[in-house]
Amino acid sequence: MLRVLDLFSGIGGFSLGLERTGGFETVAFCEYEPFPRAVLAKHWPNVPCFPDVRTLKGSDIDGPVDVICGGYPCQPFSTAGKRRGKEDDRHLWPEFSRLMAELRPSWVIGENVAGHISMGLDDVLSDLEGQGYAARTFVIPACAVDAPHRRDRVWTVAHARHSRVHERRFNDDAQRESRKPRGMGGDGLSRRAQGKVLADANNKGPQGRSQTRDAASQRNGCNQQPQRCTDLPRAAWLPEPDVGRVANGVPRRVDRLKALGNAVVPQIPEMIGYAILKAEKERP
């Protein structure tokens, strides 16, 4: 069982998806906002939740950590905002990186908006490379797991390079998975769900800025050629209820909408989790 530290946890989308695989156990959350913290306490009552990533230390976590995951704040990079990057006080990737250095997990999973490709992603990959991780970055839209909306997100998956042999096997596995023309399964990333490989921390130069047009073409394909995820029945989505534009009597509706807007689609970390478990199984 791989032990997970879930940063910027929100309402637990990362942990929900990873734990669905049966191979991951969340040992700690870190979430600042009160409403998501209440949701986490309801569904994971025995898992500690730290309030601020800036004050969280590796020594605060009880036991080793195999995986650190999290969707660090997108506001510094989002095209919907001012894109202040490092000048934005919500730029918290350095705290993510600091905890990686303190805890030395085998795996790192990060998530952010598509605008991260043209701002900040190079720094993330540089930090991962500097700490000895082999990283690959993908655009995986929500519609890749049959969600009825596009919701483009950049996903970074990194693994500690314990040896050159294992690094080569990890990269070879990623290349093979990217070529498999299947739907979402329990053994790796599908071609459509993978979207486009944007970056590799082992390569030099700008990371994926020229790929945005290809990524857009890939996203359009999600809508033009819908495909059911037959390998994981849980990926199927129920029809959305016709509630109209105004909903009355829904408690804490604004908090719920905000939490859902910030959440990851759990089926995507579930899919990534299966790929990690496969790599761990084949690890020499």
Side-chain angles (χ1 to χ4, degrees):
M1 190 74 69
L2 298 180
R3 293 165 53 87
V4 179
L5 169 60
D6 189 338
L7 302 177
F8 314 103
S9 308
I11 55 176
F14 260 106
S15 289
L16 176 61
L18 291 174
E19 290 187 353
R20 272 176 158 180
T21 68
F24 297 82
E25 176 189 13
T26 300
V27 297
F29 292 107
C30 185
E31 173 55 43
Y32 183 78
E33 294 290 339
F35 180 76
R37 285 174 60 86
V39 174
L40 295 174
K42 176 182 178 181
H43 295 288
W44 287 271
N46 299 318
V47 178
C49 183
F50 297 91
D52 194 337
V53 71
R54 294 167 294 187
T55 59
L56 176 62
K57 299 179 181 178
S59 58
D60 295 330
I61 309 301
D62 185 16
V65 170
D66 302 303
V67 182
I68 294 182
C69 64
Y72 43 98
C74 66
Q75 292 90 341
F77 321 113
S78 175
T79 56
K82 295 182 179 179
R83 308 197 79 197
R84 298 180 61 203
K86 295 179 181 180
E87 302 302 317
D88 196 312
D89 58 6
R90 295 163 293 187
H91 178 54
L92 295 178
W93 164 255
E95 302 297 338
F96 195 128
S97 180
R98 172 183 61 81
L99 287 166
M100 285 165 41
E102 293 179 12
L103 291 166
R104 301 303 302 163
S106 296
W107 295 91
V108 175
I109 311 172
E111 180 266 354
N112 216 283
V113 294
H116 196 22
I117 297 169
S118 58
M119 175 178 282
L121 184 57
D122 286 351
D123 293 331
V124 169
L125 294 170
S126 177
D127 289 345
L128 288 166
E129 175 73 7
Q131 292 194 34
Y133 287 88
R136 298 187 73 84
T137 306
F138 310 89
V139 170
I140 308 179
C143 61
V145 290
D146 291 336
H149 57 290
R150 191 167 293 175
R151 197 183 184 93
D152 299 328
R153 293 295 182 267
V154 176
W155 295 80
T156 302
V157 182
H159 186 263
R161 296 178 295 185
H162 300 296
S163 69
R164 291 184 180 275
V165 172
H166 184 266
E167 176 188 351
R168 183 169 61 252
R169 177 171 294 186
F170 172 75
N171 287 331
D172 289 346
D173 286 347
Q175 291 289 349
R176 282 196 298 271
E177 294 298 336
S178 71
R179 291 193 292 268
K180 291 182 180 179
R182 61 175 181 269
M184 188 180 85
D187 58 352
L189 298 175
S190 71
R191 174 176 295 184
R192 198 185 65 159
Q194 180 185 348
K196 189 73 176 178
V197 179
L198 292 179
D200 187 333
N202 297 315
N203 293 335
K204 299 179 180 179
Q207 304 288 353
R209 291 194 177 101
S210 63
Q211 306 292 348
T212 53
R213 184 173 299 174
D214 290 339
S217 175
Q218 184 75 25
R219 296 192 301 267
N220 290 336
C222 291
N223 292 333
Q224 293 170 3
Q225 297 178 353
Q227 174 184 349
R228 299 306 301 171
C229 298
T230 57
D231 294 333
L232 285 178
R234 287 171 298 192
W237 295 77
L238 296 175
E240 295 184 1
D242 183 13
V243 297
R245 294 181 61 86
V246 179
N248 296 318
V250 179
R252 305 197 70 170
R253 180 172 180 266
V254 173
D255 288 331
R256 292 184 179 194
L257 290 175
K258 181 180 178 182
L260 288 170
N262 289 331
V264 300
V265 178
Q267 286 86 344
I268 297 177
E270 179 182 9
M271 177 174 55
I272 293 172
Y274 276 119
I276 289 175
L277 293 177
K278 183 186 179 210
E280 284 289 308
K281 184 178 180 180
E282 297 177 353
R283 181 175 171 178

